[in-house]
């Protein structure tokens, strides 16, 4: 049956002149490619090595490569329609690799796929299916870019994209058309040359445009640091973060050249969405511009011509950009790296920032209260002290120890733990984990806080910590590792979910919308546990942006301490979204989100939902006589 | 201009202090220390003067080995070099004794300006700076918020300083260098310590001088008998009588007993 179908026309005879012309054009095309690609490669390789980079274990890299590159999972999942269109273009390219090789080989008389043979025929049909899908896909992408034009693609129409779309379309069309002519027909040769010329024109365009990602992004995904927002260690006495070109590492340079300018990062950035200067895509492109102009061994400051200090310090480190990026760019380590460069050298001069740093240089908490306040809270509520015999060390954190709302969360958790009969104790002395200063790039202070806390925990023989704050959890578990071995820690949502079947289920249909904290969701991959707790107290509803795509409250990255924002407040934007779900309660799982939404929800006016932490929701289900 | 800043290491603000067995001092083991806050302001003032007028900032501190950490911090913030007067019995010396140590170590440097905090956060005597001035025979002023160099000729300078008086009054005074000024908190914004500063501080000179080699007497002129922690007191008094009488009694008590009015 298959033999009744059309056969791919393939001219059999080429003159010597044709062969020579082909070789000359191919050489010119490769030269055109290398002339730019060589420069980019050289810049990447010339950059300094990444401290703490290990190629092994390779399994994770393989898996990520398969999932993100081969399956295009992220591309599709985060933007289904254009994602699928892109995936077809990508898969067609993969399927075409063999076709293209064979195509070029035929003129030299060494073609290996026979259009008349069974295998060749099958393969050409296989490729034809993808060619068709690809042609449709690229048309769709063309329409989207030039007619629909979403905001995050930028104001400027890119002629490059138009050209590339045209070339890809021509490649597919000339391939498909060859099924409808015979070998003998001169049109077969015309099609062959048309296909070849398109191909040879395409190659040099790649490195000169953002289509460089065709070559680089698979490498970028494969070589990514892994984990989420992993901040690399500083190396040596002269490393203060990303200060100048000479601090750009190979990974950062590779990432800067891999950006495909899709704008997904910007589309989801809370700072950019609320009228701030920060645009994560521009941060990456800024580094690329810097590398193009100054190169990776320059002393020219990175914050200057291409990127601004103001923008870098507007980042909440929510990680939405990094989560979205389809080519594996790690924005948060870059942004924190630039902050490190500014703070570690004293170039960042901000009254609020300096106040926070001084409060932690001299005192124990980010809020600047005397420790005695915390003692008073512990005494007044008769919280047991941790003596090494209890199951959990209950970490209060700055918010739980000093902030009135944070304290309410702690007391609710205490009620639940007592109800469950789980033993715990609090530390007499506890310092800020260093989360805000870590994200603001103050390595000196962060190291002091991490070391002094780890020493205190060691002395108290703490084995397992429970905390109400996702920032504390992240910082203790991941960031402290740079200076020692932190104890095991879990977030109270994980604890509560584990004990959910021993907590009473409230027969309430009250609608509760859960807000995913960035540091619990994207940073820790905990999504279902807090929802399980919410479901004990009422009916869970979802906000439009939830789980991995949750929108930040505006507090992270030390921003809770930096005073008034420019533009709309991130927290107000999110609070309006949460309120619009019609829920009567907003469920939170982070004391920083809580403090941000306290005002933001109040600004929603009468009828705004009530704000409760999941610990408070869990405590509400307990019988009243159990109250302490 | 050569500016010396005398700094003191004191227990960290959040330190939980306990009285030791002698009853005359606190237990020092397990305490964390920090730079005395008014001294941090004195250092900031010196660094800003240097940034404006050039010169050198030298910090001096006396105390045991642990003091070197605070000295490092001062170097990290921008001081050029330091003198550590090593003295293990600091708690046993009174203000005069400490001032003698400092004056003896400072004298050979003949600075143009000596700045120090108005008082220390631990003892709060507020005397050390002014006694050093007397011992060195230099003019001095206390409670200073801002310092300005208004005229300079060679190493001699005319200094204008702003003092804070009671009830929101300020006084502006002028004095010739060399002089001693004791600085009070809040006049400037402090700078934060940076990683680069700490790394650079490693290569800066810290000269150690031993207290015993300075030829000053260790015998205190003031005998310390005992120290006690403030007593926590909660006492409730009910003021009877008519509203006016009760109000009058309350004002009386707030003025003379609680001393908050
Ligand atoms: S981490 Fe969040 S705030 Fe920062 S650039 Fe990325 S999306 Fe924007
Ligand atoms: S950084 Fe990533 S998400 Fe942002 S525009 Fe570039 S490729 Fe797209």
């Amino acid at each position: 049956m298959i033999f009744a179908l059309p056969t791919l026309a393939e001219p059999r005879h080429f003159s010597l002149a044709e062969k020579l012309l082909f070789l000359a054009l191919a050489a010119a095309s490769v030269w055109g490619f290398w002339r730019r690609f060589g420069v980019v490669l050289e810049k990447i390789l010339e950059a300094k090595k990444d401290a703490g980079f290990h190629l092994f274990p390779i399994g994770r890299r393989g898996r990520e490569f398969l999932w993100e590159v081969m399956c295009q999972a992220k591309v599709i999942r985060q933007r289904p329609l254009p994602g699928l269109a892109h995936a077809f273009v990508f898969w067609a390219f993969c399927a075409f690799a063999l076709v293209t090789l064979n195509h070029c080989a035929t003129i030299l008389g060494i073609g290996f796929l026979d259009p008349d043979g069974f295998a060749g025929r099958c393969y050409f049909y296989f490729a034809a299916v993808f060619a068709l899908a690809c042609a449709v896909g690229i048309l769709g992408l063309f329409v989207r870019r030039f007619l629909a034009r979403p905001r995050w693609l930028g104001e400027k129409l890119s002629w490059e994209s138009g050209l590339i779309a045209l070339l890809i379309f021509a490649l597919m069309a000339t391939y498909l058309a060859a099924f409808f002519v015979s070998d003998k027909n001169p049109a077969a040769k015309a099609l062959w040359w048309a296909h070849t010329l398109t191909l040879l024109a395409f190659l040099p365009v790649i490195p000169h445009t953002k289509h460089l990602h065709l070559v680089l992004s698979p490498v970028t995904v494969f070589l990514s640091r892994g984990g989420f927002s992993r901040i690399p260690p500083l190396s040596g006495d002269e490393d203060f973060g990303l200060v100048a070109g000479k601090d750009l590492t190979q990974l950062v340079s590779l990432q800067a050249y891999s950006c495909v300018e899709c704008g997904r990062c910007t589309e989801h950035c809370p700072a950019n969405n609320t009228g701030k200067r920060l645009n994560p895509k521009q941060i990456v492109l800024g580094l690329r511009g810097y590398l193009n102009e100054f190169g990776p061994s320059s002393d020219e400051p990175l914050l200057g011509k291409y990127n601004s200090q103001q923008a870098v310090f507007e980042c909440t480190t929510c990680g939405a950009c990094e989560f979205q990026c389809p080519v594996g760019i790690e924005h948060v380590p870059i942004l924190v790296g630039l902050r490190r460069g500014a703070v570690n050298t004293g170039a960042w001069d901000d009254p609020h920032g300096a106040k926070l740093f001084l409060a932690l240089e001299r005192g124990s908490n980010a809020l600047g209260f005397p420790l005695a306040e915390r003692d008073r809270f512990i005494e007044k509520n008769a919280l047991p002290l941790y003596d090494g015999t209890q199951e959990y060390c209950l970490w209060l954190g700055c918010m739980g120890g000093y902030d009135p709302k944070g304290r309410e969360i702690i007391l609710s958790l205490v009620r639940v733990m007592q109800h469950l009969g789980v033993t715990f104790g609090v530390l007499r002395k506890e310092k800020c984990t260093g989360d805000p200063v870590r994200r603001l790039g103050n390595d000196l202070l962060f190291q002091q806080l991490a070391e002094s806390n780890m020493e205190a925990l060691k002395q108290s023989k703490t084995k397992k910590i429970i905390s109400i704050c996702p920032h504390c959890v992240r910082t203790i578990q991941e960031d402290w590792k740079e200076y020692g071995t932190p104890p095991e820690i879990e977030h109270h949502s994980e604890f509560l979910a584990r004990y959910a079947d021993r907590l009473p289920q409230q027969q309430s249909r009250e609608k509760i919308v859960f807000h995913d904290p960035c540091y619990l969701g994207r940073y820790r991959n905990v999504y279902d546990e807090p929802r399980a707790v919410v479901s004990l107290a009422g009916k869970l509803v979802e906000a439009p942006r939830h789980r991995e795509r949750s929108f930040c409250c505006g507090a992270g990255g030390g921003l809770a301490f930096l005073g008034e924002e420019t533009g709309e407040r991130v927290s107000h934007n999110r609070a309006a979204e949460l309120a619009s779900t019609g829920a009567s309660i907003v469920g939170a799982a982070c004391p920083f989100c809580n403090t941000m939404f306290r005002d933001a929800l109040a600004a929603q006016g009468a009828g705004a939902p009530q704000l409760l932490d999941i610990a408070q929701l869990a405590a509400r289900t307990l019988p009243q006589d159990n109250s302490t | 201009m050569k500016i010396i800043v005398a700094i003191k290491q004191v227990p960290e603000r959040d330190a939980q202090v306990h009285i030791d067995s002698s009853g005359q001092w606190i237990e020092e083991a397990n305490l964390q220390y920090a730079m005395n806050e008014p001294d941090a302001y004195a250092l900031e003032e010196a660094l800003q003067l240097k940034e404006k007028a050039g010169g050198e900032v030298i910090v001096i501190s006396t105390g045991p080995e642990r003091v070197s950490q605070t000295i490092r911090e001062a170097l990290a913030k921008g001081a050029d070099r330091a003198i550590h007067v090593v003295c293990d019995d600091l708690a046993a010396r009174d203000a005069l004794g400490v001032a003698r140590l400092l004056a003896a170590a400072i004298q050979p440097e003949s600075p143009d300006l000596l700045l120090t905090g108005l008082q220390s956060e631990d003892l709060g005597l507020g005397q050390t700076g002014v006694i050093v001035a007397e011992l060195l025979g230099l003019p001095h002023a206390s409670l200073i918020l801002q310092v300005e160099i208004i005229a300079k000729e060679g190493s001699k300078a005319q200094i204008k300083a702003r003092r804070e008086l009671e009830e929101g009054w300020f006084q502006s005074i002028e004095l010739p260098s060399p002089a001693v000024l004791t600085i009070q908190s809040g006049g400037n914004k402090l700078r934060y310590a940076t990683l680069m500063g700490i790394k650079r501080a490693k290569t800066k000179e810290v000269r150690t001088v031993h207290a015993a080699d300075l030829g000053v007497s260790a015998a205190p002129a003031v005998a310390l008998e005992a120290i006690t922690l403030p007593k926590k007191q909660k006492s409730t008094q009910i003021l009877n009588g008519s509203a006016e009488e009760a109000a009058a009694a309350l004002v009386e008590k707030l003025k003379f007993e609680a001393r908050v009015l």
Side-chain angles (χ1 to χ4, degrees), chain A residues 265-266 268-272 278-280 283 314-322 331-332 335 339 522-523 552:
Chain A
C265 49
T266 304
H268 293 271
C269 172
N272 191 270
L278 172 61
N279 177 340
I283 296 280
E314 282 171 347
C315 172
T316 68
T317 67
C318 73
C321 48
E322 187 168 328
H331 301 72
V332 181
L335 284 155
R339 289 176 171 191
R522 283 185 291 265
Y523 276 76
C552 182

Side-chain angles (χ1 to χ4, degrees), chain A residues 259-265 281 284 321 324-327 329 331:
Chain A
C259 172
V260 60
E261 299 170 41
C262 67
R264 290 167 191 237
C265 49
K281 165 171 149 182
V284 177
C321 48
Q324 284 290 331
C325 182
V327 299
I329 293 173
H331 301 72

Side-chain angles (χ1 to χ4, degrees), chain A residues 506-525:
Chain A
Q506 215 165 45
Q507 294 312 319
S508 155
R509 299 303 297 161
E510 209 167 8
K511 283 206 271 178
I512 307 175
V513 58
F514 177 67
H515 163 78
D516 287 282
C518 307
Y519 276 68
L520 188 63
R522 283 185 291 265
Y523 276 76
R524 197 173 167 79
N525 237 327

